[in-house]
Amino acid sequence: MADVLKKTAHPFLVSTAVSLAAFMEVLDTTIANVSLSHIAGSLGTSSEESTWVLTSYLVSNGIVLPLSGWLSALMGRKNFFVFCILGFTFASFLCGISTSLSMLIIFRLFQGLAGGGLQPSQQAIIKDSFPPEKVGMAFAITGITTVVAPIIGPVLGGYITDNFSWRWIFFINVPIGLLAACFVKILVQDPPSAQKQKVDSIDYIGLSLIAIGLGALQIVLDKGQQEDWFDSSFIIILTCVAVVGLSLAIFWLLRQEHPVVELKLFSIPSFGMSCMMIFFVGFSLLASTMLLPMQVQENFGYNVTLSGLVLAPGGIAILVMLPVTGKLVNIIQAKYLISFGMLISAIGMWAAGMITPQTDYNTFVFVRILQTVGIPFLFVPANTLAFSKISPESSSNASALIVLMKNLGGSIGISLITNKLIHSQQIEQSYLVQHLTMGDIGYHSAIATYIQMITNLGIPSFLTNNAISTAVLAKIYQELVKQASILAYRDIFNFMGGMLLVLAIVALLMPDNNVGFISKTNKRTQKAQSCGIE
């Protein structure tokens, strides 16, 4: 029965099987974010210490990502993928039964190591499962995993934690992982280019340099804001380690005949420029996914569930548009679709910059849809163009580098935007304070309005004039902080909109891909066959 399924497995069945596992892994990169306070309380630790639950996963995941192509060749892609699923599933179970923070951090490290190979392998398997003329649809399917899962993660994590226990955000992976492993074992077959290859020796130097450099970089990006960046000797030391480690790794890998990471792929224009665009897809998607919920919680009083519901319609918009772009990429040049996607996303960022204290829920939803509806026009064409000049033998290595660029874009984007937001809040607050003088009509009017409000409510007999004045000033300062925060978010969204607009112009300089060539060739072949011509 299994042999029959293998021979007749439809590409969509294969895609569903491998995407189930990859979706589970991508979900785990964000699902724990909203549960940290519950984890800290349950394990008797501080909120700051609990953030290592996230950092440990990102570090180990980031280390394995670029190595997954080499590991696929070492073990065979299917064997490596099943091994990663089972390892991730077992590590998830161990995370769920952890009784201390140190145990949880160690098991999260194992979870990240096992999960790091799932996304690249999924992308390579799906790409090889579809005929060339349907490669756009293949990347539309991988987009469901790559783009939608990070949006759903915080919403699902909040719901599970509020209604069950934080442990279930890990336990839920066990049945899904076992089911995915069975389906992959039955349905997936390795093409000759993805089967186990003989490796004469292991490049321990390259492996070590990548592990040290990327591990240090991920810690810097994740902990920099918390440690006050370069005011911390810890961050300075790790930054130096990251720079030296990655520089030596690049120098070493470029000189190897069979490197563990094929950096030479970046010399292919279609691949290198596409990776740059995918980096900024990760940057804009994950940074905006962080910013909007933060804003509605800080300035508009939304709870975790409601702020998650602000994001949900944006995820639906992506799901709707992914198959559309999967078809368009065979008709329109990828660079034009990428440019269009960047432009739409830029408009969405600028729309978020026009939020006011009176903005309602429906407007937030509309803004989020506008931010995300362009993402499929970025992701699908960029992946299609990236693989257009890649040989089947290098597809696993190419997939690993693409996923690494997206994840690095997200990590760098979140760190940069968080730091810029805090700085912008300080600037906007300083600017607004300059107007808090009795000579300013707005300030004078605000004082009179708040005094009138207190008077209308009835002034308690124990309140003196000084106490009333203090209460009024406190209310004005509270409003000032809120408005400074809204203005700071406006500055950040405008910055991201400007960045995406520049990228929309740069995208027009990308190489052409063979749009329509494959489909036309197939049509000619079919016509010739129908006429009896061999």
Side-chain angles (χ1 to χ4, degrees):
M1 179 66 178
D3 291 337
V4 173
L5 281 172
K6 284 181 182 179
K7 292 177 182 177
T8 60
H10 192 277
F12 284 103
L13 285 177
V14 174
S15 301
T16 301
V18 297
S19 295
L20 188 62
F23 190 89
M24 173 181 67
E25 188 273 329
V26 179
L27 202 66
D28 256 49
T29 60
T30 57
I31 197 171
N33 293 22
V34 296
S35 306
L36 288 183
S37 58
H38 294 266
I39 293 172
S42 174
L43 300 179
T45 186
S46 67
S47 296
E48 289 188 357
E49 290 175 327
S50 68
T51 58
W52 281 101
V53 172
L54 305 179
T55 305
S56 58
Y57 184 89
L58 292 173
V59 168
S60 58
N61 196 266
I63 290 171
V64 170
L65 269 174
L67 303 175
S68 59
W70 178 77
L71 290 170
S72 291
L74 184 68
M75 300 173 62
R77 189 168 63 195
K78 176 181 173 179
N79 292 335
F80 175 62
F81 193 63
V82 173
F83 176 80
C84 287
I85 296 173
L86 294 176
F88 184 85
T89 303
F90 183 60
S92 297
F93 174 76
L94 294 177
C95 288
I97 63 172
S98 297
T99 57
S100 67
L101 181 64
S102 57
M103 284 179 64
L104 182 57
I105 291 172
I106 291 171
F107 295 145
R108 281 284 278 179
L109 280 168
F110 290 150
Q111 192 186 35
L113 287 171
L118 291 176
Q119 282 189 74
S121 298
Q122 175 230 14
Q123 189 162 294
I125 290 170
I126 292 179
K127 184 250 180 186
D128 289 344
S129 299
F130 281 81
E133 68 272 15
K134 292 186 178 180
V135 71
M137 189 57 66
F139 290 123
I141 294 172
T142 64
I144 296 173
T145 300
T146 306
V147 178
V148 179
I151 297 175
I152 295 176
V155 182
L156 183 61
Y159 178 81
I160 291 174
T161 303
D162 288 340
N163 293 278
F164 302 97
S165 165
W166 64 265
R167 297 182 185 277
W168 278 99
I169 65 177
F170 300 113
F171 287 147
I172 196 174
N173 291 333
V174 176
I176 296 174
L178 293 175
L179 189 65
C182 291
F183 282 149
V184 170
K185 189 70 176 174
I186 294 171
L187 296 173
V188 175
Q189 282 195 102
D190 281 339
S193 59
Q195 292 175 1
K196 184 177 179 180
Q197 300 173 17
K198 184 179 179 181
V199 178
D200 294 330
S201 61
I202 298 176
D203 182 10
Y204 291 107
I205 295 177
L207 284 170
S208 301
L209 290 173
I210 290 171
I212 293 170
L214 284 178
L217 177 62
Q218 285 288 0
I219 294 174
V220 168
L221 293 173
D222 196 53
K223 289 290 185 181
Q225 185 61 51
Q226 184 180 320
E227 298 289 336
D228 201 18
W229 291 105
F230 297 109
D231 287 335
S232 165
S233 57
F234 173 70
I235 294 298
I236 292 174
I237 292 171
L238 282 178
T239 301
C240 293
V241 171
V243 171
V244 172
L246 291 175
S247 298
L248 290 175
I250 293 170
F251 176 78
W252 177 265
L253 293 171
L254 289 176
R255 295 169 64 88
Q256 303 306 303
E257 185 177 354
H258 300 290
V260 292
V261 180
E262 287 190 46
L263 295 180
K264 292 179 182 179
L265 292 176
F266 285 115
S267 64
I268 303 172
S270 58
F271 183 80
M273 292 194 72
S274 295
C275 281
M276 180 187 73
M277 291 298 168
I278 290 168
F279 174 92
F280 285 103
V281 170
F283 186 110
S284 59
L285 176 66
L286 293 184
S288 62
T289 300
M290 173 199 70
L291 282 174
L292 203 56
M294 279 176 56
Q295 184 175 25
V296 297
Q297 289 180 50
E298 288 179 11
N299 300 325
F300 296 86
Y302 287 26
N303 58 26
V304 174
T305 302
L306 191 57
S307 64
L309 290 175
V310 169
L311 298 180
I316 295 172
I318 293 174
L319 284 173
V320 171
M321 294 307 300
L322 277 170
V324 175
T325 52
K327 292 182 179 297
L328 287 177
V329 78
N330 291 323
I331 304 170
I332 303 172
Q333 286 290 343
K335 63 182 180 181
Y336 298 132
L337 293 174
I338 294 169
S339 180
F340 176 74
M342 289 288 184
L343 181 60
I344 294 296
S345 296
I347 293 171
M349 296 302 173
W350 285 325
M354 298 192 313
I355 288 170
T356 69
Q358 289 74 42
T359 300
D360 59 10
Y361 171 81
N362 291 332
T363 304
F364 283 121
V365 169
F366 173 75
V367 166
R368 184 56 183 169
I369 291 174
L370 201 55
Q371 286 180 347
T372 57
V373 75
I375 294 294
F377 291 93
L378 302 173
F379 181 81
V380 177
N383 274 278
T384 304
L385 182 59
F387 279 95
S388 63
K389 299 290 190 296
I390 299 296
S391 65
E393 293 76 18
S394 298
S395 61
S396 293
N397 285 288
S399 295
L401 290 173
I402 287 172
V403 177
L404 176 65
M405 292 301 290
K406 179 189 70 69
N407 287 8
L408 278 178
S411 297
I412 292 173
I414 289 173
S415 297
L416 176 65
I417 293 303
T418 302
N419 187 56
K420 190 171 177 61
L421 178 64
I422 293 172
H423 182 63
S424 187
Q425 284 174 335
Q426 295 169 346
I427 293 175
E428 293 291 356
Q429 187 168 325
S430 175
Y431 175 75
L432 291 177
V433 166
Q434 296 176 13
H435 296 274
L436 298 185
T437 63
M438 292 307 296
D440 186 271
I441 297 175
Y443 179 58
H444 186 74
S445 175
I447 289 178
T449 300
Y450 286 127
I451 290 176
Q452 187 63 44
M453 287 173 56
I454 294 174
T455 303
N456 292 340
L457 292 172
I459 302 174
S461 57
F462 59 83
L463 281 181
T464 63
N465 288 334
N466 286 338
I468 293 172
S469 298
T470 301
V472 169
L473 291 175
K475 182 65 177 175
I476 290 175
Y477 179 72
Q478 182 183 18
E479 187 64 27
L480 179 143
V481 171
K482 178 180 178 180
Q483 292 191 18
S485 179
I486 291 175
L487 290 171
Y489 279 102
R490 178 204 64 185
D491 296 340
I492 299 303
F493 281 120
N494 286 343
F495 165 76
M496 292 178 66
M499 177 189 73
L500 291 170
L501 179 61
V502 172
L503 289 167
I505 298 170
V506 173
L508 297 175
L509 304 177
M510 298 178 75
D512 291 343
N513 57 310
N514 296 326
V515 169
F517 174 76
I518 295 172
S519 58
K520 289 176 183 176
T521 302
N522 287 347
K523 287 179 180 178
R524 285 198 298 268
T525 303
Q526 291 171 3
K527 185 176 180 180
Q529 290 173 345
S530 66
C531 296
I533 301 173
E534 292 298 329

